[in-house]
Amino acid sequence: MKRHTLIEYCLLIFFSGIYFAFLGFQSKGFTFIIGVIFLYVLINIATKRMLPSYIQLDKKVGIWKTVSIIIGSVFLTMLVLTILVM
């Protein structure tokens, strides 16, 4: 997997988790879909504009590192949500 795609996935997991937690899954239909699309577009634009100046995006990342980083982003999302609830 390319580093750019991995960073997009991790940011999408993090911000989607925050978005779903604050919505409480109460939003239905059109507003929910618009919110998810808005998050994806915002993350996509942000990574394409900001990241190339900091890191090399076309570098490949190994499968074990990819899996561990995605699991780490899920763990970080749950940790932030737990801290916000306290």
Side-chain angles (χ1 to χ4, degrees):
M1 176 180 287
K2 289 187 179 179
R3 191 182 288 179
H4 179 266
T5 308
L6 179 62
I7 292 171
E8 275 188 2
Y9 285 169
C10 291
L11 286 174
L12 190 61
I13 288 169
F14 180 74
F15 287 116
S16 296
I18 302 290
Y19 176 70
F20 297 151
F22 283 118
L23 272 181
F25 294 99
Q26 299 300 321
S27 180
K28 294 181 183 177
F30 193 65
T31 56
F32 178 76
I33 294 170
I34 293 297
V36 172
I37 291 172
F38 179 72
L39 274 175
Y40 178 74
V41 168
L42 191 67
I43 288 170
N44 195 353
I45 290 171
T47 55
K48 285 186 179 177
R49 286 193 180 182
M50 286 189 257
L51 287 180
S53 60
Y54 296 111
I55 60 172
Q56 181 184 6
L57 293 177
D58 291 334
K59 188 175 180 184
K60 294 270 187 175
V61 181
I63 186 73
W64 295 110
K65 200 170 192 179
T66 300
V67 170
S68 63
I69 290 173
I70 290 175
I71 290 172
S73 68
V74 171
F75 177 74
L76 181 68
T77 303
M78 299 314 291
L79 180 68
V80 167
L81 290 175
T82 304
I83 290 171
L84 288 176
V85 168
M86 294 177 135

